Amino acid sequence: MSNKTTTKDVSLEIKEIQESGLRVTEPRKKILHIFESNEDQHFTADMIYSELKKQGENVGFATVYRVLTQFEEAGLLVRHNFDSGHAVFELKKKCHHDHLVCISCGKIIEFLDDSIEARQCKVAKDAGFEVTSHSLTIFGYCSECRGNTK
Amino acid sequence: MSNKTTTKDVSLEIKEIQESGLRVTEPRKKILHIFESNEDQHFTADMIYSELKKQGENVGFATVYRVLTQFEEAGLLVRHNFDSGHAVFELKKKCHHDHLVCISCGKIIEFLDDSIEARQCKVAKDAGFEVTSHSLTIFGYCSECRGNTK
DNA sequence: CCGATTATAAAAATAGTTATCATTATTAAT
DNA sequence: ATTAATAATGATAACTATTTTTATAATCGG
Ligand SMILES: [Mn+2]
Ligand SMILES: [Mn+2]
Ligand SMILES: [Zn+2]
Ligand SMILES: [Zn+2]
């Protein structure tokens, strides 16, 4: 009647944390689980904190920020700084992508355009830059929100 | 022997401020002048504040932030949020452009690639988005800084 | 199971920015 | 030019997102 969480799905997350060289702790398991069980979703620290609260967990805000940063450094998560002032995190995908962000409802759509990627390299090369990363975000109204404004 | 500042160049700035519907005040004249006399440069609130201090002006930090925001709303300046946490302002150009940012020395190079702009429209259209704006920033090492790291 | 090590929660600190407010400056109307 | 109405200013406090500190607690190899 122990409360060990040894479910199959959870054991995968434990392995991922271990392989990143981090100790397996409750907050880290819980936080990673939120990402893994909501694939393709983007979360702010605040959203993660609220979700944990909703699940009845007692995890401090500082811990959320710390773990998110550790997961980013470990290569489990990617951080985006869009425009809103608060960072957004998502599971690291195999492949890079950029984002369309609805300024009305906040919906995020991912895309990858090879032509844009290639031109970016060319632009940087022409300017003598060695590219380390780039960030392309298109803001606008999604199909749903567009209807509301006519 | 009055200290009226009725120089030719300054009168242009006065007109610009008036035409934005804002009162012509010393801080606003001084701040706009910094931008106009350093065309193509990008400034943070902090840089503007320091520059004013260096010129012996006594302008509060709050005023700098207020004026920058007002100039942005008036369409005189454009605000960028790059990645660093602090906003960067520049004179509003006639034409849109994107940025290459050196993560070592902070140098900013502007560029405009029609092919990228066009593809962005297509991507958004395909996703059913009505674009309001976009932000593309390429981070890396500029030609000078690249040399230092070999 | 133990103990060295590392992680945690809570609180305080920080950075960038915005709001408050009493005082001063600008502007439009005398 | 004076005046009155109104808006802007600087000092400072407040705020938001995030990081650091600290004292306690959990982890994990042996
Ligand atoms: Mn994404
Ligand atoms: Mn620019
Ligand atoms: Zn929407
Ligand atoms: Zn550089």
Side-chain angles (χ1 to χ4, degrees):
Chain A
M1 208 210 255
S2 68
N3 62 347
K4 278 191 295 181
T5 48
T6 327
T7 330
K8 265 166 277 176
D9 31 282
V10 173
S11 68
L12 174 70
E13 283 146 26
I14 292 178
K15 202 194 293 178
E16 285 185 304
I17 296 172
Q18 280 174 331
E19 287 173 354
S20 345
L22 296 169
R23 280 193 177 176
V24 179
T25 67
E26 286 306 311
R28 305 221 252 240
K29 280 191 287 186
K30 301 276 165 47
I31 291 173
L32 185 54
H33 185 68
I34 293 176
F35 282 98
E36 306 256 284
S37 52
N38 293 283
E39 199 127 6
D40 280 338
Q41 274 195 239
H42 302 72
F43 295 92
T44 62
D46 210 54
M47 290 161 74
I48 295 294
Y49 180 76
S50 304
E51 181 60 30
L52 290 169
K53 264 285 171 56
K54 204 172 71 184
Q55 294 177 14
E57 305 296 336
N58 178 27
V59 177
F61 229 114
T63 302
V64 172
Y65 277 108
R66 226 177 315 115
V67 170
L68 288 175
T69 301
Q70 289 162 341
F71 281 178
E72 184 198 7
E73 287 166 352
L76 291 174
L77 297 181
V78 178
R79 178 198 304 251
H80 298 291
N81 281 106
F82 296 154
D83 227 328
S84 40
H86 33 20
V88 171
F89 297 81
E90 67 175 320
L91 272 185
K92 182 172 209 161
K93 304 271 171 47
K94 13 321 167 210
C95 49
H96 160 81
H97 60 265
D98 294 303
H99 299 90
L100 275 155
V101 177
C102 177
I103 59 177
S104 172
C105 71
K107 187 193 297 173
I108 296 178
I109 295 182
E110 307 182 335
F111 73 90
L112 178 64
D113 186 291
D114 290 327
S115 156
I116 291 178
E117 300 290 323
R119 293 294 300 182
Q120 283 180 139
C121 288
K122 178 166 180 358
V123 164
K125 197 172 161 194
D126 289 352
F129 262 65
E130 179 189 330
V131 177
T132 54
S133 70
H134 73 262
S135 140
L136 167 56
T137 312
I138 301 176
F139 300 95
Y141 295 97
C142 74
S143 48
E144 283 177 35
C145 294
R146 210 160 40 127
N148 301 343
T149 340
K150 170 56 66 47
Chain B
M1 209 209 255
S2 68
N3 63 346
K4 278 191 296 184
T5 48
T6 326
T7 331
K8 265 166 279 176
D9 31 283
V10 171
S11 70
L12 174 70
E13 282 147 26
I14 292 179
K15 202 194 290 177
E16 284 185 305
I17 296 173
Q18 280 176 331
E19 285 173 356
S20 344
L22 295 169
R23 285 191 176 182
V24 179
T25 66
E26 286 307 309
R28 305 219 251 240
K29 280 191 286 185
K30 300 277 165 47
I31 292 173
L32 185 54
H33 185 67
I34 293 175
F35 281 97
E36 305 256 284
S37 52
N38 292 283
E39 199 128 5
D40 280 338
Q41 274 197 238
H42 302 72
F43 295 92
T44 62
D46 210 54
M47 289 161 75
I48 294 294
Y49 180 76
S50 303
E51 180 60 29
L52 289 169
K53 264 284 171 58
K54 205 172 71 183
Q55 295 178 13
E57 305 296 336
N58 177 28
V59 177
F61 235 113
T63 303
V64 171
Y65 276 105
R66 238 179 332 207
V67 170
L68 288 174
T69 301
Q70 289 160 341
F71 281 178
E72 184 198 7
E73 288 166 350
L76 291 174
L77 297 181
V78 178
R79 178 198 304 253
H80 299 291
N81 281 105
F82 297 151
D83 227 326
S84 40
H86 37 21
V88 171
F89 297 81
E90 67 175 321
L91 272 185
K92 181 172 209 160
K93 305 270 172 46
K94 18 313 163 215
C95 49
H96 160 82
H97 60 265
D98 294 304
H99 299 90
L100 276 154
V101 177
C102 176
I103 59 178
S104 173
C105 70
K107 187 193 299 172
I108 298 178
I109 294 181
E110 307 183 334
F111 72 90
L112 178 64
D113 187 291
D114 290 327
S115 156
I116 291 179
E117 300 290 322
R119 293 296 298 183
Q120 283 180 137
C121 287
K122 179 169 181 354
V123 164
K125 197 171 160 193
D126 289 352
F129 262 65
E130 178 190 330
V131 178
T132 54
S133 69
H134 73 262
S135 126
L136 167 57
T137 311
I138 303 176
F139 299 96
Y141 295 98
C142 74
S143 47
E144 284 178 35
C145 295
R146 208 158 41 126
N148 302 342
T149 341
K150 171 54 67 48

